[in-house]
Amino acid sequence: MKLIECPRDAMQGWYHPISTADKVNYLNALLQVGFDTIDFGSFVSPKAMPQMADTAAVLSKLQLPAAGSRLLAIVANQRGAEEAVMFDEITYLGYPFSISETFQLRNTNKTIAESLELVQTLQELCIKNRKQLVVYISMGFGNPYGDPYDAGIALQWVEELAALDISIISLADTVGVASPDTITQLFAQLVPAYPGVEFGAHFHSAPHNWEEKVAAAYVKGCRRFDSTIRGIGGCPMAKDDLVGNLATENLLWFCEQHREPLTLNQPALQAAQRLADKIFMP
């Protein structure tokens, strides 16, 4: 089971500025917990995501355990990726590939076709610089814009990405519309069909229906889940009202119920939770 903690997702849309010092303290606390990966920041336009403008400065102050969590940074274009790959501390670059044309234009100012070309460029850049590309299929379970969607469309785009040798693909429920049936249908087909691909789930979910979503993916073989402490965050580019992320606390409970062995530092987790409560005060 791989747990991907996503403080970047929590911070990017927060309605008041978070200081560089607070980000550094919070990320350093998370790095002590033992998550597989920390989605810590993004190299994107500061106009689009002002909360992420200090990502490079934050990175320079992080205390990375020798054999601890790996760092993932989100990029939205080639320029951001070229900046991100210069940092040895970063293992993964994440790119949001939307199968909703409206959202792809809104999020990265590219069509889906242009975005697919960019994915190929990013893949080549990652291989050259010994990084690994993680592609998020945003709006992977539907969209609020009326753009065409069914499971077949999602499967088609996974096939396109797999043809580019993308080995980590995470399906994102960007606006919290995924149904257990659609989740089951997708993972039931994808996991056995692409044994060389690690499939993940990035669920935005209300508190009342997170478990049915996680269970649907888990039963069909998904073992990579994104979450945030306290379920804070969502995608500010999707809708005006943020839909909360899957809460890390809920995901840990789910793992315990299903006897998934985890080796997290519980005191460090509690310390990070206390910091989150201070940083993300209403």
Side-chain angles (χ1 to χ4, degrees):
M1 193 78 157
K2 289 188 178 179
L3 306 186
I4 318 302
E5 180 65 25
C6 302
R8 183 269 318 164
D9 210 350
M11 293 185 289
Q12 69 180 7
W14 199 244
Y15 54 84
H16 62 71
I18 301 172
S19 71
T20 299
D22 280 344
K23 292 174 187 173
V24 169
N25 289 338
Y26 186 45
L27 289 167
N28 277 331
L30 291 172
L31 284 164
Q32 300 303 312
V33 177
F35 296 110
D36 182 85
T37 302
I38 307 288
D39 176 353
F40 83 101
S42 60
F43 292 86
V44 297
S45 166
K47 289 184 178 180
M49 293 289 180
Q51 197 78 264
M52 295 289 100
D54 59 350
T55 290
V58 168
L59 180 58
S60 69
K61 296 178 175 63
L62 296 185
Q63 300 166 1
L64 298 172
S69 302
R70 290 163 287 186
L71 296 181
L72 181 151
I74 296 295
V75 300
N77 53 37
Q78 183 174 345
R79 183 174 64 180
E82 288 172 345
E83 183 178 0
V85 297
M86 299 303 293
F87 295 94
D88 292 338
E89 300 91 336
I90 295 174
T91 300
Y92 302 108
L93 270 61
Y95 178 72
F97 178 86
S98 180
I99 56 177
S100 156
E101 189 88 357
T102 301
F103 186 63
Q104 192 69 69
L105 288 165
R106 185 171 178 171
N107 198 32
T108 65
N109 199 31
K110 291 178 178 61
T111 65
I112 294 177
E114 291 169 337
S115 188
L116 187 63
E117 291 180 6
L118 177 60
V119 167
Q120 184 167 3
T121 299
L122 297 182
Q123 174 75 330
E124 293 168 357
L125 190 61
C126 283
I127 292 171
K128 180 180 178 181
N129 291 276
R130 298 182 300 280
K131 309 295 184 189
Q132 191 165 4
L133 184 62
V134 179
V135 176
Y136 292 88
I137 298 186
S138 62
M139 301 292 172
F141 300 94
N143 65 81
Y145 311 115
D147 291 339
Y149 177 83
D150 58 39
I153 291 174
L155 293 168
Q156 169 200 335
W157 286 113
V158 169
E159 183 177 356
E160 295 274 2
L161 294 168
L164 298 177
D165 293 327
I166 306 301
S167 58
I168 305 178
I169 299 174
S170 188
L171 278 68
D173 186 15
T174 316
V175 287
V177 299
S179 70
D181 287 346
T182 304
I183 295 169
T184 297
Q185 183 180 3
L186 287 175
F187 283 102
Q189 295 187 63
L190 292 173
V191 172
Y194 299 95
V197 176
E198 179 181 322
F199 287 102
H202 183 102
F203 291 135
H204 291 178
S205 180
H208 71 278
N209 64 356
W210 70 268
E211 187 177 359
E212 62 188 29
K213 295 184 180 186
V214 172
Y218 178 85
V219 166
K220 295 304 177 182
C222 179
R223 292 297 183 270
R224 177 189 176 97
F225 289 90
D226 292 10
S227 65
T228 63
I229 284 177
R230 307 302 195 212
I232 300 164
C235 182
M237 303 302 288
K239 297 181 74 175
D240 293 333
D241 296 326
L242 295 184
V243 179
N245 281 299
L246 169 63
T248 299
E249 293 81 0
N250 288 340
L251 183 58
L252 295 180
W253 177 87
F254 183 90
C255 290
E256 182 180 347
Q257 297 303 304
H258 290 79
R259 295 184 173 84
E260 281 287 345
L262 300 176
T263 56
L264 300 185
N265 182 325
Q266 291 299 324
L269 174 61
Q270 292 164 11
Q273 289 168 323
R274 289 192 294 271
L275 270 177
D277 291 340
K278 292 179 180 178
I279 292 171
F280 299 104
M281 288 180 64

